[in-house]
Amino acid sequence: MSANNLPNGNGNSAALPTPKTPNKLNSSSPNPSIHDASTLSDVRATLAALHLRETAITDRLNALISSQADLSRELGRLDLLRANLGSQVIATRSISNGMLSSAADTAGRLSSRVKTLDLEKDRVQQTLKVVEQVAELKACVHGVVGSMGAPQDWEAAAGYISRASKVPEPIIRGGFAASMVPSVEVPDAPWVTLENAKESLCGLFLREFEKAAKEGDGAKVTRFFKLFPLIGRGDVGLDVYGRYVCQGVAGTARSTLRAAPGDAGKKDGFFYANALTKLFEHIAQIIESHGALVERHYGEGKMVKVIERLQMEADVQGGIILDSWSDERSVDRKLTDAKSYPFSFLVQSFLPPQRTLTGTPRMNSPAVGSGTNARDSEDEGVDMKEVDGLLSEISVMLGRWSLYSRFLAGKCKDPNIPEDAPLSLPEVVTKSNLNRKVSAKLTTPYNSLALFFFRRSVEKAFQLDESPTGLSLNLNKPIDGNAPYIISAVDDVMYIVSAIIHKAMSTAQRDVTAHVIPDVGRVLGSDFIGMIQRRLRDESYPQPVVQGGLPPENKIVAFIVLINSLDVAKDYLARIIAAQLGTSPDQPNGTSHTNHLAASFPFEHDVTFVTSVLHTLNSTFSMKAGELISDALKVLFTTVVKQRLKPVLVDAFRDVDYWRSEDELAEIARQNDEDEDEVIDRVQRRFEHGWDALMKPIARLMTPKTFAVLVDLTASDLSKTLEKRVWSYSGKTNAYGAIRMERDFSGIISTVARGNYTVRELFARVAQILMVANMEDDEWEELSGEDGEDGIEWVLTEDERRRARNLVKT
């Protein structure tokens, strides 16, 4: 060991400093450091490890040095290859420069010559084309002049002009054509000759067309109509044709209005509606029959110009019809009378009930005398039959206008639009004077008169209202008539609702349905439901005459009839709406509309809007009527059923005790000379008898839906009463008594839920209390140990279950 490898006196190594990073030449695990050596053996071990590292490094260095000769040999070979490749590159460049440069020059010269030849060929072809076009132009010019001469062959002349129009304008006006086309017979320039021929032929065609139109010669009209586009005067042809067909439309419309002798025909309810229908049918027939001719000779889409011209004539003739109708029917006066109508009966009906000197509240209608006294003085101002006839006539005219608008929309539709795309009203309709006049003369009056007619009909229905007679809560008395037992106003009002909605839908006008149907909903919600609500509150409220007593039978019956009326009105309206939508009343609001509704309202989102309006009417009325029915049923339950149910329960549980044993009950039955089963079933039999006596008279008067809700209200209250009675027996019954109690209460529940099993859910708490009370100990322990995994859906809390378990006295 050399002195340089030993640690110095301070314990630091002078020759082998500790490396901070591992040696990349030695990937073995780290060796003991000389700094950690504390004994001679540690120093020796460290030294041995250093010798091993030195040996390994030396071996690797020797291997690298031995491989140096191979690397040098490979590098020499690469130098030789590089020298050979350099000589090859030089040789390749010399070949390229010497052999291919001449070929490239030759190819360049050939390409230039080919391009020159192509250019010359193209110029020759263009020259030939110009020569051919000039020759064609010359033939057409001479042909036009020749055809307009002695032969007077107008079709040939128009054909030559049409052929000449296919020659480009620069060729026609070019110098070559100006020098080659003119001749002794035709000395003018070709464009001058053609323009003069067009003007001459256009004037000639106009004269012949108008002459044929006056003579009524349809063949000649068609002949000259087809020639206008050939001479480049398509606009003139469409204009003169439009005037021609409009004259026919105007003449037919005037003859229709003059068809009825005197005023007798015009007073017919549908005279003007028929006149408007004939006007639209005539125009539609012209468009349908002549459209193909126009499109074939004038080009696709040119019929739209004829339609615009026809619509202008429709504006005039339709306006005359609507103005005459409005004056003849005195529409403005009827509108004024309808808007000023006071609706006195409805207004007075909603006033607070008046009391006489004796304190008796007003029970009859507000009119003078009896409740059915009509206000003849008011009816004189507005004749309901005239208003109804006017609404029918307007609905027919609006329906024809809708059909006519759909027809024009289809004819003016862009051919690029898909077939299944919704229609949109063309500007020829939306910007027409007739469209504005229809809105002012038909749509607006219809909306106002429909609202008046419906509200006045509701008022009249309640003025003439009659309640069913012969109804009684006594099961021994037969009932006259058939269920449902409702007031006559329901049938009358719902018939008018059906008629009003049907007429509004038949117009196929979004503006009409947007006003009339919501107006119907508002009148139903305010006047119809309001009148029934007032009667429920003021006239038929089942209030006992004596404190603590029962209401009079006639009040109860009248109250039930009004509840039935609301329920039946809901069903009637649902059926009316379903009939309009073509669906079932049981289907949800999201049901898709039917094809007939989509056909009536094909524009944009109209069908979705109308469907939404109808559903809104149904849902709003159903909600308002349902709320009033719910409140009325609560009153009926509180004042009638609940008061009569208390003595039924008292009588059912009379002399009942649940602390006696089975032997004691048998002994009591023998002493009273009764059957033991009769004693055991006494509670159920008494309750069933009292329940039937209470509910059957009510059930035969009410509708099934309202009676089911009343039973639910009764069952909900009865379940609370029975639960209190069960808890009251806590500690006062034995095991046999608990079994009897469960049997009695189950019998009561079965009686109440008879015909409607879901009512049993309302007695779930009572049933579970008695079930827990009658469980065996081992069954209860097993049930308690399952931690809610027993499959029973508990409605009792854990404390209530423990309390029920202690119900039986031990």
Side-chain angles (χ1 to χ4, degrees):
M1 180 183 299
S2 63
N4 293 333
N5 292 331
L6 293 177
N8 56 19
N10 296 327
N12 296 325
S13 176
L16 294 174
T18 303
K20 295 183 179 180
T21 58
N23 194 334
K24 295 183 180 180
L25 297 177
N26 188 5
S27 59
S28 61
S29 60
N31 296 313
S33 175
I34 193 66
H35 299 288
D36 298 331
S38 57
T39 61
L40 183 60
S41 60
D42 292 339
V43 173
R44 289 177 178 174
T46 302
L47 183 60
L50 291 175
H51 283 307
L52 290 175
R53 287 185 62 191
E54 181 184 8
T55 304
I57 292 172
T58 302
D59 292 340
R60 294 185 65 187
L61 290 175
N62 291 334
L64 290 174
I65 292 172
S66 63
S67 63
Q68 185 176 3
D70 295 335
L71 292 175
S72 298
R73 187 167 54 253
E74 293 297 330
L75 289 174
R77 291 180 59 193
L78 289 176
D79 289 337
L80 291 175
L81 289 174
R82 184 180 63 178
N84 292 332
L85 288 175
S87 61
Q88 294 295 331
V89 168
I90 293 171
T92 302
R93 285 176 181 174
S94 62
I95 292 172
S96 174
N97 294 331
M99 298 177 63
L100 299 181
S101 59
S102 60
D105 293 340
T106 303
R109 289 194 302 271
L110 289 174
S111 176
S112 177
R113 293 295 300 274
V114 169
K115 290 180 180 179
T116 302
L117 289 174
D118 289 341
L119 180 61
E120 292 176 356
K121 181 181 178 181
D122 184 58
R123 288 173 178 174
V124 169
Q125 289 177 347
Q126 291 180 1
T127 302
L128 288 174
K129 186 176 181 180
V130 170
V131 171
E132 291 174 356
Q133 290 174 342
V134 171
E136 174 71 7
L137 178 62
K138 185 173 183 177
C140 291
V141 169
H142 285 79
V144 168
V145 174
S147 299
M148 293 176 64
Q152 293 188 347
D153 189 350
W154 312 126
E155 282 79 2
Y160 282 124
I161 292 178
S162 177
R163 286 170 53 187
S165 64
K166 297 177 182 178
V167 178
E169 188 68 19
I171 301 298
I172 296 176
R173 296 182 176 272
F176 183 67
S179 61
M180 297 301 296
V181 173
S183 63
V184 177
E185 295 83 5
V186 188
D188 295 328
W191 64 88
V192 176
T193 303
L194 290 175
E195 194 62 32
N196 292 336
K198 289 179 182 179
E199 292 296 331
S200 177
L201 288 176
C202 182
L204 174 67
F205 293 165
L206 281 174
R207 292 191 298 272
E208 293 296 329
F209 184 94
E210 292 172 354
K211 180 181 177 182
K214 290 179 181 179
E215 296 174 354
D217 190 345
K220 289 188 68 176
V221 167
T222 303
R223 174 194 173 190
F224 288 101
F225 174 65
K226 294 189 293 185
L227 297 180
F228 283 102
L230 296 179
I231 63 174
R233 296 295 187 269
D235 292 341
V236 177
L238 292 175
D239 183 66
V240 69
Y241 176 74
R243 291 201 304 269
Y244 163 68
V245 293
C246 288
Q247 288 174 2
V249 170
T252 303
R254 286 193 292 268
S255 63
T256 302
L257 290 178
R258 290 195 302 265
D263 294 334
K266 294 183 179 180
K267 290 182 179 179
D268 174 32
F270 294 95
F271 172 77
Y272 290 100
N274 292 333
L276 195 64
T277 301
K278 290 180 181 178
L279 173 65
F280 292 153
E281 287 179 348
H282 189 193
I283 294 174
Q285 185 179 7
I286 292 173
I287 295 173
E288 189 68 27
S289 59
H290 297 189
L293 177 68
V294 174
E295 297 283 344
R296 183 167 62 252
H297 293 284
Y298 284 78
E300 187 177 5
K302 294 299 182 181
M303 190 60 194
V304 175
K305 293 187 177 181
V306 180
I307 293 175
E308 292 173 353
R309 188 68 181 83
L310 285 169
Q311 184 57 43
M312 292 173 64
E313 188 63 33
D315 294 344
V316 176
Q317 302 303 326
I320 293 173
I321 294 174
L322 293 182
D323 289 336
S324 302
W325 166 82
S326 181
D327 296 338
E328 181 71 28
R329 302 288 188 260
S330 302
V331 176
D332 292 337
R333 180 181 61 80
K334 289 184 175 61
L335 279 174
T336 303
D337 294 341
K339 291 178 180 179
S340 61
Y341 186 81
F343 296 101
S344 300
F345 181 85
L346 291 177
V347 173
Q348 294 180 19
S349 296
F350 289 101
L351 294 177
Q354 301 173 358
R355 293 184 177 272
T356 61
L357 296 177
T358 59
T360 302
R362 173 180 63 81
M363 302 301 292
N364 293 327
S365 299
V368 179
S370 66
T372 59
N373 183 25
R375 300 183 58 87
D376 297 332
S377 60
E378 292 181 359
D379 288 344
E380 291 176 358
V382 182
D383 189 339
M384 292 293 288
K385 290 184 178 179
E386 289 185 3
V387 174
D388 187 25
L390 201 60
L391 288 173
S392 298
E393 193 172 11
I394 296 176
S395 66
V396 171
M397 288 192 284
L398 285 175
R400 299 297 184 268
W401 168 250
S402 298
L403 188 61
Y404 173 73
S405 299
R406 292 200 299 272
F407 175 77
L408 292 187
K411 291 300 179 181
C412 298
K413 185 178 180 181
D414 189 344
N416 297 323
I417 297 178
E419 288 293 332
D420 56 350
L423 289 177
S424 59
L425 275 175
E427 291 186 355
V428 68
V429 175
T430 57
K431 294 184 178 181
S432 65
N433 292 329
L434 185 57
N435 184 48
R436 290 189 287 270
K437 184 152 288 190
V438 165
S439 178
K441 294 286 186 179
L442 297 181
T443 304
T444 302
Y446 185 88
N447 295 339
S448 300
L449 289 175
L451 173 60
F452 162 77
F453 180 79
F454 180 57
R455 195 175 186 209
R456 178 68 186 106
S457 298
V458 172
E459 183 182 53
K460 196 74 172 179
F462 279 103
Q463 281 181 302
L464 304 177
D465 181 39
E466 294 180 356
S467 296
T469 57
L471 301 182
S472 174
L473 293 176
N474 187 351
L475 291 176
N476 296 324
K477 292 183 179 181
I479 294 179
D480 299 334
N482 299 320
Y485 305 106
I486 59 175
I487 59 176
S488 63
V490 173
D491 289 328
D492 297 339
V493 170
M494 288 301 153
Y495 173 79
I496 299 298
V497 168
S498 179
I500 287 288
I501 293 179
H502 178 72
K503 285 181 181 178
M505 296 293 290
S506 67
T507 64
Q509 289 284 319
R510 173 172 176 162
D511 292 340
V512 171
T513 56
H515 287 83
V516 173
I517 295 178
D519 286 344
V520 169
R522 282 191 290 270
V523 173
L524 285 176
S526 61
D527 295 336
F528 178 77
I529 292 181
M531 287 292 292
I532 295 180
Q533 183 179 17
R534 185 194 65 79
R535 291 187 178 184
L536 286 169
R537 184 187 66 236
D538 299 336
E539 298 181 8
S540 305
Y541 193 85
Q543 186 174 1
V545 179
V546 181
Q547 183 70 25
L550 294 175
E553 181 181 357
N554 63 329
K555 294 286 188 181
I556 298 175
V557 171
F559 199 77
I560 291 175
V561 168
L562 292 174
I563 294 175
N564 292 346
S565 300
L566 285 171
D567 185 54
V568 171
K570 283 175 54 182
D571 291 340
Y572 280 173
L573 185 61
R575 293 177 187 176
I576 292 169
I577 300 302
Q580 293 298 327
L581 295 174
T583 59
S584 170
D586 298 329
Q587 287 179 315
N589 289 352
T591 307
S592 59
H593 51 265
T594 55
N595 291 332
H596 81 90
L597 194 61
S600 299
F601 297 91
F603 297 111
E604 305 274 340
H605 305 292
D606 284 2
V607 66
T608 304
F609 173 79
V610 173
T611 304
S612 175
V613 168
L614 289 172
H615 282 312
T616 300
L617 168 63
N618 187 28
S619 61
T620 303
F621 178 78
S622 179
M623 181 184 66
K624 291 183 178 180
E627 291 176 353
L628 187 55
I629 290 173
S630 178
D631 294 340
L633 288 174
K634 290 178 181 177
V635 171
L636 184 65
F637 165 73
T638 303
T639 58
V640 178
V641 177
K642 190 173 184 179
Q643 295 298 323
R644 296 187 181 187
L645 190 60
K646 290 179 180 179
V648 171
L649 287 174
V650 172
D651 181 69
F653 289 97
R654 175 169 45 87
D655 300 331
V656 173
D657 48 47
Y658 295 108
W659 54 270
R660 295 183 184 277
S661 65
E662 186 176 3
D663 295 335
E664 290 174 339
L665 282 178
E667 180 65 25
I668 292 174
R670 284 194 299 271
Q671 292 176 1
N672 295 332
D673 196 19
E674 294 178 340
D675 185 64
E676 184 177 354
D677 292 337
E678 293 182 358
V679 174
I680 294 175
D681 295 337
R682 183 179 300 165
V683 173
Q684 181 179 354
R685 285 187 289 103
R686 288 174 180 173
F687 180 82
E688 185 176 5
H689 176 73
W691 176 265
D692 290 342
L694 169 62
M695 302 303 288
K696 280 188 176 180
I698 297 176
R700 74 170 183 167
L701 296 183
M702 299 185 73
T703 61
K705 290 182 181 179
T706 55
F707 181 71
V709 177
L710 180 63
V711 170
D712 287 344
L713 290 173
T714 306
S716 178
D717 183 79
L718 181 60
S719 66
K720 298 176 183 177
T721 303
L722 293 180
E723 184 179 351
K724 291 180 181 178
R725 183 173 287 273
V726 171
W727 293 125
S728 68
Y729 290 119
S730 181
K732 301 177 183 178
T733 182
N734 55 22
Y736 179 68
I739 295 174
R740 287 176 51 218
M741 188 188 307
E742 185 175 12
R743 180 175 180 177
D744 292 343
F745 280 56
S746 297
I748 292 174
I749 295 172
S750 298
T751 300
V752 176
R754 187 171 50 204
N756 187 2
Y757 191 82
T758 57
V759 175
R760 289 181 174 272
E761 297 177 0
L762 300 173
F763 296 93
R765 290 180 58 82
V766 176
Q768 288 189 5
I769 291 173
L770 295 174
M771 179 188 70
V772 172
N774 286 293
M775 279 184 178
E776 298 292 338
D777 291 339
D778 54 350
E779 185 180 3
W780 169 251
E781 291 175 359
E782 180 182 357
L783 195 65
S784 301
E786 291 182 355
D787 297 331
E789 297 180 359
D790 45 68
I792 298 178
E793 186 177 351
W794 290 104
V795 294
L796 299 176
T797 63
E798 188 174 351
D799 292 339
E800 288 173 336
R801 293 200 294 270
R802 283 197 296 267
R803 182 183 175 189
R805 189 63 186 161
N806 297 325
L807 187 68
V808 179
K809 179 176 65 176
T810 57

